[in-house]
Amino acid sequence: MLDWLLTRLPAPYRSKARDYLVLTRMDRPIGALLLLWPTWWALWLAASDFPPVKLLVIFTLGVFSMRAAGCAINDFADRKLDPQVERTAGRPIAAGRVTPREALIVFASLLVFSFVLVLFTNKLTIWLSFAGAALAAVYPFTKRYTHLPQVVLGAAFGWAIPMAFAAVMNTVPPVGWLLFIANIIWSVVYDTQYAMVDRDEDIEAGAKSTAILFGDADLPILGILMATFLLAMVFVGQRATLGWPYWLSLLAAAGLFGWQLWRIRGHDRAACLWAFRNNNWLGMAVWIGIVLALAFR
């Protein structure tokens, strides 16, 4: 798809455009999808039905622009770390194809675009957006100082949840904050799986992560976190009075979690990366459950 789009540009600009698209991970949309599903969970729950089309468009575009901004600032923060890790050594900044200054310009431009989108909502959502931008900017630097950067990532990825409730309802009810907490737990699960891929190299490079913190107890702790996420989502379903399709979606989520744990039991790097990506289907399953539960009321 990217190659097809790039052919529409004049030849002298294609190489640099590709580098910017890779910098913002437009060639790997899985991260955006993991941010999109919880945002859609929140929009449908806040509206108790199909959300207003304007807000659906604003938040969907915002998901992709903020995720792209987060990737740009992440690579800027990791510009000295990435060359030491095999999987990230080819990234545009690490490989010298994009300068740190260019990455900061891309980050700032995407933040401005995202803020313009938010201006079409209400005052509460606009105020909440400042906290979201701060979380997105701070997250990449936390891996230097704490073994819990995945928690900060979860808050950054999940901040669209209270914003979505605020945009639809002009308030953030308890179920919105409960969903936000559940999403943080889920984010720690899948980003720990992702960090397990690079654990040995991260240790050598001096980076920190929950994968390093959990160590040999990673699988039992992941199992506990998965169960806690499912319990939190049970409470969400109770508060939102959702029907049987939602409960079936949680059963599907539990099955996917079990499959992930089984696949990564040997700590194979490819299996850990597969488990991370598999969470896309989990997020979609829960969204379908919410949509159908609301439709069958």
Side-chain angles (χ1 to χ4, degrees), residues 133-154:
L135 286 168
V138 166
Y139 157 69
F141 300 94
T142 57
K143 65 189 73 173
R144 308 288 190 289
Y145 307 104
T146 174
H147 281 94
L148 300 172
Q150 281 71 26
V151 176
V152 183
L153 174 73

Side-chain angles (χ1 to χ4, degrees), residues 100-208:
R101 181 174 178 272
E102 287 176 318
L104 288 177
I105 292 173
V106 170
F107 171 68
S109 301
L110 289 166
L111 275 188
V112 170
F113 174 75
S114 300
F115 186 66
V116 170
L117 290 174
V118 174
L119 291 177
F120 290 94
T121 60
N122 56 35
K123 185 176 181 180
L124 176 59
T125 311
I126 293 170
W127 279 112
L128 287 172
S129 72
F130 289 104
L135 286 168
V138 166
Y139 157 69
F141 300 94
T142 57
K143 65 189 73 173
R144 308 288 190 289
Y145 307 104
T146 174
H147 281 94
L148 300 172
Q150 281 71 26
V151 176
V152 183
L153 174 73
F157 264 31
W159 198 250
I161 291 172
M163 287 181 62
F165 276 94
V168 174
M169 305 175 67
N170 203 30
T171 186
V172 185
V175 69
W177 294 114
L178 180 58
L179 189 64
F180 173 66
I181 293 170
N183 184 71
I184 291 177
I185 298 169
W186 183 40
S187 300
V188 173
V189 169
Y190 63 67
D191 206 51
T192 298
Q193 294 168 338
Y194 191 65
M196 288 167 67
V197 177
D198 302 322
R199 177 159 44 193
D200 294 340
E201 292 167 298
D202 282 346
I203 292 173
E204 292 180 6
K208 297 178 173 65

